[in-house]
Amino acid sequence: AQKVTQAQTEISVVEKEDVTLDCVYETRDTTYYLFWYKQPPSGELVFLIRRNSFDEQNEISGRYSWNFQKSTSSFNFTITASQVVDSAVYFCALSEDNNAGNMLTFGGGTRLMVKP
Amino acid sequence: GAGVSQSPRYKVAKRGQDVALRCDPISGHVSLFWYQQALGQGPEFLTYFQNEAQLDKSGLPSDRFFAERPEGSVSTLKIQRTQQEDSAVYLCASSVAGSSYNEQFFGPGTRLTVL
């Protein structure tokens, strides 16, 4: 069965600091997809990125970057030069390719607070 | 509409009441999902539809929970004889096709409080 663990329940940083959110996953499948979602105070989950299990290239999008390492089953998310607007709960999620339901398995989330 | 919409946004029910939660997915999206999010936790899968067919209901916590999508678009999640432990945010998501690859687009959720 698949499982996603986000060990950091809450992180507090001061604006302009860099911050890394950790995500560790478990799956028996060789083909799977990893996602990061942002949940601002409004409650709506916002899709940030998707990675498939065969693509270990790191990705950068503006201030956001993702580090996918199959050897350690991790998919970490780094925000560079954090801003107050980055304050939200961030969820890492996993979907297995043989999962007939295509459901997402979420981690418990990391609440990020960026203080001015 | 442009995104997934859910109604009502907030629902307060007395224990034992039945409730119905509605989800309008993005037009043309084949797949529709329901998740339950307890306070301070990540969303947990409840059920999945591909068009009008309910392909997976393994996450429904009890037979008091029932979901339908009769015409392959709007979906309703019904909870009978609500209990306090049903208090949570119920999230609906849709995706364009039935593949694990496709990202899911989420609605704002319905916050259910059972007194």
Side-chain angles (χ1 to χ4, degrees):
Chain A
Q2 65 256 45
K3 183 179 177 182
V4 177
T5 302
Q6 296 179 253
Q8 307 148 307
T9 54
E10 201 168 288
I11 299 176
S12 181
V13 299
V14 177
E15 209 171 17
K16 298 184 183 177
E17 283 186 17
D18 299 347
V19 58
T20 295
L21 310 182
D22 298 332
C23 172
V24 174
Y25 62 92
E26 295 176 30
T27 177
R28 294 180 181 177
D29 273 15
T30 55
T31 303
Y32 52 88
Y33 304 92
L34 295 163
F35 300 80
W36 275 94
Y37 281 85
K38 175 181 180 179
Q39 189 173 44
S42 61
E44 194 162 328
L45 283 158
V46 177
F47 167 78
L48 295 178
I49 191 172
R50 169 190 50 233
R51 251 314 174 243
N52 74 56
S53 52
F54 297 107
D55 182 1
E56 286 194 72
Q57 272 194 332
N58 292 333
E59 181 155 341
I60 299 174
S61 176
R63 296 184 298 107
Y64 295 171
S65 62
W66 291 268
N67 184 298
F68 175 30
Q69 293 195 344
K70 287 180 75 170
S71 61
T72 55
S73 297
S74 65
F75 185 43
N76 297 337
F77 173 30
T78 297
I79 302 175
T80 303
S82 59
Q83 300 177 1
V84 172
V85 293
D86 295 328
S87 298
V89 181
Y90 291 86
F91 291 98
C92 180
L94 166 73
S95 179
E96 293 177 332
D97 196 45
N98 71 350
N99 182 342
N102 304 318
M103 67 183 190
L104 289 169
T105 297
F106 286 87
T110 298
R111 179 178 298 277
L112 174 64
M113 292 177 291
V114 182
K115 299 177 181 178
Chain B
V4 178
S5 60
Q6 293 185 246
S7 60
R9 290 294 312 278
Y10 302 90
K11 177 70 179 176
V12 178
K14 291 183 180 178
R15 192 174 56 166
Q17 279 185 335
D18 297 348
V19 298
L21 313 180
R22 176 187 169 108
C23 172
D24 283 83
I26 294 173
S27 178
H29 276 197
V30 166
S31 297
L32 186 145
F33 305 80
W34 284 98
Y35 293 85
Q36 180 190 59
Q37 185 176 20
L39 188 64
Q41 298 183 22
E44 292 191 355
F45 171 77
L46 293 177
T47 187
Y48 161 65
F49 290 86
Q50 190 167 98
N51 296 308
E52 68 277 5
Q54 189 175 23
L55 298 186
D56 189 345
K57 53 181 181 179
S58 61
L60 296 176
S62 78
D63 58 8
R64 296 185 295 103
F65 287 70
F66 171 77
E68 60 183 4
R69 193 186 185 198
E71 296 178 1
S73 55
V74 171
S75 176
T76 303
L77 176 67
K78 298 178 180 178
I79 309 174
Q80 297 177 324
R81 304 181 304 282
T82 53
Q83 304 293 314
Q84 285 188 326
E85 61 263 27
D86 300 335
S87 295
V89 175
Y90 291 85
L91 295 167
C92 176
S94 70
S95 68
V96 65
S99 166
S100 299
Y101 172 82
N102 300 119
E103 67 262 35
Q104 295 178 22
F105 295 87
F106 283 81
T110 294
R111 182 178 297 278
L112 173 65
T113 303
V114 182
L115 303 177

